Amino acid sequence: MAENPLVQLEKYGQSPWLDFIQRSFTANGSLKKLVDEDNLKGVTSNPAIFEKAMGHGTEYDPQFKELIASGVTDVSTLYETAAIEDIRNTCKVMFPVWEKTKGVDGYVSLEVSPYIAMDGHKTIEEARRLWKQVSEKNLMIKIPATPPCIPAIETAISEGINVNVTLLFSLDAYKNVLEAYISGLEKHLAKGHQIGHIASVASFFVSRIDVAIDKEIDSRVAAGDKDSDALKALRGKVALANAKMAYQHYLEVLKTDRWKKLAAAGAQPQRLLWASTGCKDKTFPDTIYVDGLIGQDTVNTIPPATMDAFRDHGTASQTLDKDVEGAKKILSEAQRLNLDLAGVTEKLLTDGVAQFATAFDQLLGSVKEKLETLQSGK
């Protein structure tokens, strides 16, 4: 166990979470095994993950049959009832981790509907409803970092709801999210409440940035761009540099009097969570987005295949705060070469919302097919 790189992450203040949820995986002890053997500390879900879990196979059929027999025929209700059962069962497996870490880890995330990602008012309403419905201390409600949802994040925190802020790509958006967290805590404290139990992570997406930037680099190199060598030198480096600068901002905020006042009242920092950490480019090491982002007070939510790869041949060492000057140079070079990181991150947010909505369409579509099949008795 001592040699397991996933277990070694604890030495560097990082918590491995699993970016995957499935009923059978929780029920058959596989999730508990990761907790026991790999020091797994949390679980995240999203519409794409639920689509894979529910849309294929038959493991959800018994519950769907029961619900249909009781008169439930609304597709959204069928999905949500099944999802909430999964989240609750997963919360129970992770609860000992929550207790052991005194509420720092052990969280399970459930996302608000991606259909309302551009409506802050509906988002906070749904966040409250899901928080109440699941009713588990170690639940996190996932809210996207779209401009209309930033106030919803602040309101949720001010009401004592744990929040996993998702779809963060740019440093500016992250600054707004951290500000919303701090303001939310200040409001909760001003009402005379304790704040130590409120937890939040800021899910900063990584690999998608390199996929977009490297595609642009490759097409410019193929077209014979005069800066081809300089462009090629940036392949696979911009996302890590971007993440490192987000972490530097986090460290700066921790030094402020405003944060110190909240910390003195028991506040937990809003940890950066590295998301989208599976490597999509076969020319890079498959553990690049785990190896390169290890540091204090952070989380990496890792897809199963990348978790297996990191366990097998990953390297656990403090990397996140190393060569910050180099990271700054990479970003300024990207700017000099007109790689338009700001435009890329803005598009990735729009695309991310659309992708989750598409996954949700497919998920509800597959649940509708199940409903029709089970109703017809086939």
Side-chain angles (χ1 to χ4, degrees):
M1 190 159 162
E3 295 306 305
N4 183 340
L6 287 163
V7 175
Q8 289 175 342
L9 289 174
E10 189 165 57
K11 277 199 294 195
Y12 305 101
Q14 186 167 80
S15 300
W17 288 12
L18 178 69
D19 197 25
F20 176 78
I21 198 164
Q22 191 165 337
R23 184 160 295 185
S24 53
F25 191 79
T26 304
N28 68 17
S30 299
L31 182 64
K32 174 83 165 64
K33 188 170 184 265
L34 292 182
V35 174
D36 295 341
E37 296 180 7
D38 295 327
N39 203 19
L40 182 76
K41 292 190 174 179
V43 176
T44 49
S45 69
N46 63 42
I49 287 170
F50 270 122
E51 195 277 319
K52 284 194 187 93
M54 280 183 211
H56 311 277
T58 57
E59 64 183 285
Y60 290 84
D61 288 8
Q63 187 182 12
F64 287 149
K65 277 179 189 162
E66 230 173 79
L67 288 165
I68 293 161
S70 73
V72 176
T73 54
D74 175 65
V75 172
S76 298
T77 308
L78 286 170
Y79 149 71
E80 199 174 273
T81 309
I84 285 172
E85 183 169 317
D86 280 0
I87 295 287
R88 277 201 189 119
N89 290 336
T90 308
C91 279
K92 284 178 176 64
V93 174
M94 299 309 298
F95 192 71
V97 177
W98 184 85
E99 286 187 305
K100 186 181 164 191
T101 61
K102 297 183 170 58
V104 172
D105 275 304
Y107 290 96
V108 182
S109 298
L110 175 63
E111 191 141 357
V112 296
S113 165
Y115 296 154
I116 54 173
M118 300 311 284
D119 188 326
H121 182 67
K122 281 185 184 165
T123 292
I124 187 59
E125 281 181 355
E126 183 152 319
R128 287 180 186 128
R129 183 178 64 76
L130 291 172
W131 176 252
K132 207 169 162 184
Q133 221 166 330
V134 177
S135 191
E136 298 285 350
K137 290 177 183 172
N138 56 330
L139 172 71
M140 273 189 177
I141 300 293
K142 270 178 123 171
I143 298 177
T146 57
C149 284
I150 300 294
I153 292 160
E154 183 179 327
T155 302
I157 295 297
S158 77
E159 294 176 9
I161 297 170
N162 301 323
V163 178
N164 175 342
V165 182
T166 186
L167 291 175
L168 270 166
F169 297 95
S170 78
L171 184 56
D172 285 345
Y174 169 57
K175 287 177 179 176
N176 292 337
V177 163
L178 188 48
E179 169 61 35
Y181 177 62
I182 290 171
S183 298
L185 287 178
E186 286 169 342
K187 285 181 180 172
H188 197 70
L189 190 62
K191 293 176 203 163
H193 300 312
Q194 298 288 317
I195 54 173
H197 65 284
I198 301 172
S200 180
V201 290
S203 293
F204 203 88
F205 282 55
V206 192
S207 68
R208 292 185 194 186
I209 289 174
D210 277 343
V211 169
I213 293 275
D214 293 352
K215 189 180 170 190
E216 168 72 6
I217 288 172
D218 293 345
S219 73
R220 279 172 62 178
V221 168
D225 193 294
K226 64 178 173 57
D227 291 311
S228 283
D229 289 345
L231 285 163
K232 278 192 276 192
L234 289 183
R235 278 191 104 260
K237 291 180 180 166
V238 174
L240 290 172
N242 191 45
K244 283 187 174 190
M245 297 325 296
Y247 187 66
Q248 287 303 306
H249 175 69
Y250 165 83
L251 294 176
E252 287 304 313
V253 169
L254 288 193
K255 293 178 196 161
T256 62
D257 290 341
R258 190 177 169 202
W259 175 255
K260 283 175 184 168
K261 190 179 167 186
L262 288 168
Q268 293 190 41
Q270 182 189 52
R271 292 179 297 169
L272 272 159
L273 175 152
W274 311 119
S276 175
T277 55
C279 182
K280 300 174 178 67
D281 187 326
K282 298 288 181 245
T283 63
F284 301 132
D286 52 3
T287 58
I288 184 173
Y289 301 115
V290 186
D291 293 340
L293 294 172
I294 300 169
Q296 197 66 37
D297 288 341
T298 59
V299 177
N300 196 318
T301 186
I302 314 173
T306 308
M307 190 168 272
D308 291 343
F310 187 74
R311 185 194 299 109
D312 179 65
H313 53 264
T315 307
S317 68
Q318 182 89 15
T319 50
L320 185 54
D321 55 0
K322 298 285 182 282
D323 197 18
V324 174
E325 285 312 306
K328 286 178 184 167
K329 279 186 188 137
I330 286 164
L331 294 179
S332 67
E333 182 70 347
Q335 194 173 1
R336 181 183 76 80
L337 294 165
N338 297 317
L339 285 168
D340 189 20
L341 181 59
V344 166
T345 55
E346 196 174 322
K347 186 176 185 307
L348 284 170
L349 175 60
T350 308
D351 291 352
V353 169
Q355 280 163 9
F356 279 161
T358 301
F360 209 51
D361 286 345
Q362 289 165 345
L363 167 60
L364 295 180
S366 57
V367 173
K368 186 170 185 279
E369 277 175 34
K370 288 263 182 213
L371 171 68
E372 287 163 358
T373 305
L374 295 170
Q375 277 177 324
S376 69
K378 285 176 192 165

